[in-house]
Structure formats: C-alpha cells, structure tokens
C-alpha cells in the first residue's frame, strides 16, 4: 500500500500507556494540535459536533465530512469518510481505515497533519533536527540564520530580535512579509499577506512545510534551507 515509503514500526507498548496527538504542519490552522485520547476527531467544514476540526470554505479540497481519527484497544486510526478528493497517508491514497504510527503524515485537501504517539508521561517528541537558512541571492547574500531560536520574521526595515531586516530598496518585500517557524520539529514558512507573495521552489505558497535544500523566495532574495540531524532518536 505504501510503496517505497518506509514507515516507522508500531510502538510495541500497549495503547493504554501511550498518548496520541495530531498537529497541523502545513496549510490552514498551521501549528494547532489536538489530542486523540477523548474520542473520535472528525475533520471537515462547517461541522456542528463535539471534537470536530473545522476548516474554512476556502480550504481547498476539504469535504464537509472528510476524515476521522480515533483510538481503540489496538491503537490510533485514520479513515476517509467518503470525501470527494480523498485522504492521503504518507502521500498515498487511503483506501481503508489504517492503524497509525509515530511520524505518519495525513493530507486532507491542502492541509497536512503529523501524528505523534508517545508514552503518556512524555510530551510529544520533536525530531532532533537543527535548521538554518542561508541567503543565496539578493540583499544580505551569504548570511545565515538559525531556525531553532523561535519565529524568524522577514520584512523591510524591521527592528528587534527574531527578524531578518531587508533594505528599503527591496521594493518587492512587504514590511512584514513572511515568517519562518519551527512547529514540533517541522520547519515551515508562512506568508503574512504580503503584496507580492512568497515562493517555495518556484511556486507561490501561503504556507508550506520545508525540507532540506528548499529555496524560499521573498522579493528578489532567495533563502536556502539547511536541515541536519543532530542526534539519533
């Protein structure tokens, strides 16, 4: 079912000793999380029920009732519930209910969830990666910035900590243009309603999950993403 994608092995500990969460790592509601311990969670638009995760009418390809997550005595599950455009698990179309493992990624429309399953006494673990961006074209070429010290705001003539301030003659860059963010071990970029948009590998994005080698374009400036694994899990 999953082709060449190598999933992690299921945790051998009993589900009663574990705690599961889903985090939005791409798309609308980026950075939000939900626990899977207190009943079924349904994903859709305009739902009026407990423990529903609703997306706006502008969320592309999300059906009114799209998919559900739940926990039983065997573990944590995901299932498509008759959506128009399908649910994808690790980039493969989900054809039946499937038992989830730590690190799985579930795509619903243009929204991606990441699954965290950890012992109850622990918090959901972060991937042990360190990240930085390097300016490879445009103003401040050659400079590098860490992505592990909190949000990193990019814009023009900014002041303070946690910012990359570009000169005023970068006229395609908005005052507060975009923000780099680390969300539970996942690095992301979000456009902040800029006039000219933010590009990732040549495509305009409102928000996107970043991988090693990705190039983010803001005005005439290109940032290259570098992610390195700092220690084994």
């Amino acid at each position: 079912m999953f082709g060449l994608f190598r999933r992690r092995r299921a945790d051998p500990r009993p589900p009663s000793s574990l705690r599961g969460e889903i985090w939005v790592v791409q798309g609308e509601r980026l950075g939000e999380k939900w626990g899977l311990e207190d009943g079924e969670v349904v994903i859709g638009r305009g739902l009026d029920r407990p423990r529903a995760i609703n997306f706006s009418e502008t969320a592309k390809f999300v059906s009114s009732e799209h998919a559900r997550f739940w926990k039983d005595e065997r573990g944590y599950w995901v299932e498509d519930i008759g959506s128009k455009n399908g649910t994808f698990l690790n980039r493969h179309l989900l054809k039946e209910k499937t038992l989830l493992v730590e690190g799985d990624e579930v795509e619903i429309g243009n929204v991606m969830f990441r699954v965290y399953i950890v012992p109850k006494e622990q918090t959901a673990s972060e991937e042990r990666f360190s990240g930085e961006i390097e300016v490879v074209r445009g103003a401040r070429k050659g400079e590098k910035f860490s992505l592990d010290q909190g949000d990193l705001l990019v814009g023009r003539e900014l002041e303070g900590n946690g910012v990359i301030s570009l000169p005023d003659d970068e006229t395609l860059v908005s005052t507060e243009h975009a923000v780099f963010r680390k969300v539970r071990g996942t690095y992301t970029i979000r456009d902040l309603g800029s006039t000219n948009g933010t590009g990732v590998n040549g495509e305009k994005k409102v928000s996107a999950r970043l991988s090693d080698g990705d190039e983010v374009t803001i005005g005439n400036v290109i940032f290259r993403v570098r992610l390195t694994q700092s220690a084994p899990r």
Side-chain angles (χ1 to χ4, degrees), residues 28-122:
E28 187 178 316
R29 305 189 68 162
L30 179 69
E32 295 189 44
K33 68 174 181 176
W34 293 268
L36 300 177
E37 303 304 311
D38 300 320
E40 178 182 82
V41 175
V42 179
I43 316 296
R45 291 186 291 112
L47 295 171
D48 183 16
R49 64 170 71 184
R51 295 183 55 76
I53 302 176
N54 278 307
F55 291 91
S56 70
E57 294 298 321
T58 60
K60 293 182 179 179
F61 311 120
V62 178
S63 296
S64 297
E65 293 190 3
H66 197 113
R68 66 186 185 116
F69 294 88
W70 75 99
K71 180 182 182 180
D72 65 13
E73 67 279 359
R74 292 181 58 194
Y76 299 89
W77 298 82
V78 64
E79 181 181 36
D80 186 272
I81 50 177
S83 71
K84 181 178 179 180
N85 295 293
T87 299
F88 292 80
L89 177 60
N90 302 325
R91 304 192 184 281
H92 292 263
L93 182 65
L94 190 65
K95 297 181 179 180
E96 59 186 3
K97 68 177 184 179
T98 300
L99 194 62
L100 294 165
V101 299
E102 164 81 3
D104 276 343
E105 292 180 337
V106 178
E107 292 177 80
I108 295 174
N110 58 355
V111 178
M112 181 180 289
F113 296 87
R114 178 171 290 180
V115 178
Y116 292 91
I117 301 171
V118 297
K120 284 185 175 179
E121 65 273 14
Q122 296 181 15

Side-chain angles (χ1 to χ4, degrees), residues 117-130:
I117 301 171
V118 297
K120 284 185 175 179
E121 65 273 14
Q122 296 181 15
T123 57
S125 59
E126 293 188 0
E127 300 286 350
R128 297 183 181 181
F129 281 86
S130 59

